[in-house]
Amino acid sequence: MTRPDGIPSPATPTTQAPTAGAPTAWSWSGAAAALKPWRRRIVGLLVAWVVVTAVTVAFGTSPNVPVLLAVLVALAALLWHVVDHADAHHLTVWPLVDGEITGQGRGNDFRVTNLAGRLAAANLAKEGREALVHDLHVQLQILIRERLYAKHGLVAEEEPRWAEAVTPPELWQLLVGLPPPDLYRPDRLDPLLTRIEKW
């Protein structure tokens, strides 16, 4: 009868797991694993050291090998620092819409379906209208601010006169004023969204 995987046979000695906080023994495999990302750089540095030493010997000088290695290590460290920090860092872009992952439809985002459900409930069943109007107003203000900054490079609070001059009047009123109480109604919301989109 064979034993299931993971259960050692009685003949096989088991090793005890190290206790927490106990020092682990140094090993070549551990050092190799730690230096694996640096392997190419270290090999390149050693090859450069051997080549420079051979060239200096070929010219008839007697090189001070440890000093030469120290100079090369210092120059390589400086070069690696510059390369690592001056390299173009790519920004991680997370998908804003769940539909980019799961499907191609515009309405696959859970926020869109949630908002659609709340709009339907407020419009038909008169549920949660005040909270919905507040949430819609905040989201529309965010959209207007983003469009104002993207299109004109303006922040409404920093330059209100310039921002008001370039913002459509109905959107400016929505940005600085109180929301209309019937903002949840499709005939009121749709023209605002269309105006923001076409601005």
Side-chain angles (χ1 to χ4, degrees), residues 141-156 163 166-167 196-197 199:
Q141 285 179 323
I142 291 171
L143 288 173
I144 293 168
R145 289 176 200 278
E146 288 176 355
R147 291 292 291 170
L148 182 62
Y149 186 76
K151 194 172 177 73
H152 301 285
L154 294 173
V155 177
V166 298
T167 305
I196 292 171
E197 192 173 7
W199 174 29

Side-chain angles (χ1 to χ4, degrees), residues 53-74:
T53 304
V55 167
T56 54
V57 169
F59 283 136
T61 60
S62 57
N64 190 345
V65 178
V67 172
L68 191 60
L69 178 61
V71 169
L72 284 175
V73 167

Side-chain angles (χ1 to χ4, degrees), residues 19-181:
T19 58
T24 57
W26 187 88
S27 67
W28 284 104
S29 62
L35 294 176
K36 187 174 182 180
W38 288 79
R39 185 178 299 162
R40 182 179 298 159
R41 290 182 175 184
I42 293 171
V43 169
L45 177 65
L46 293 176
V47 168
W49 178 48
V50 170
V51 168
V52 170
T53 304
V55 167
T56 54
V57 169
F59 283 136
T61 60
S62 57
N64 190 345
V65 178
V67 172
L68 191 60
L69 178 61
V71 169
L72 284 175
V73 167
L75 290 174
L78 182 63
L79 177 68
W80 295 336
H81 179 77
V82 170
V83 167
D84 290 343
H85 287 49
D87 193 15
H89 296 289
H90 300 288
L91 294 175
T92 302
V93 179
W94 298 100
L96 297 178
V97 179
D98 291 348
E100 295 177 17
I101 301 172
T102 58
Q104 299 300 321
R106 245 177 116 180
N108 286 342
D109 188 352
F110 72 94
R111 293 167 296 184
V112 174
T113 55
N114 182 23
L115 181 59
R118 290 180 65 193
L119 283 170
N123 198 31
L124 299 176
K126 303 180 181 179
E127 295 176 4
R129 287 184 175 175
E130 294 82 8
L132 179 61
V133 167
H134 172 73
D135 293 346
L136 281 173
H137 186 232
V138 169
Q139 292 302 318
L140 290 173
Q141 285 179 323
I142 291 171
L143 288 173
I144 293 168
R145 289 176 200 278
E146 288 176 355
R147 291 292 291 170
L148 182 62
Y149 186 76
K151 194 172 177 73
H152 301 285
L154 294 173
V155 177
E157 289 77 18
E158 293 178 1
E159 299 185 56
R161 291 192 335 185
W162 287 97
E164 184 179 4
V166 298
T167 305
E170 64 273 21
L171 298 183
W172 181 255
Q173 183 58 37
L174 191 64
L175 183 63
V176 297
L178 294 174

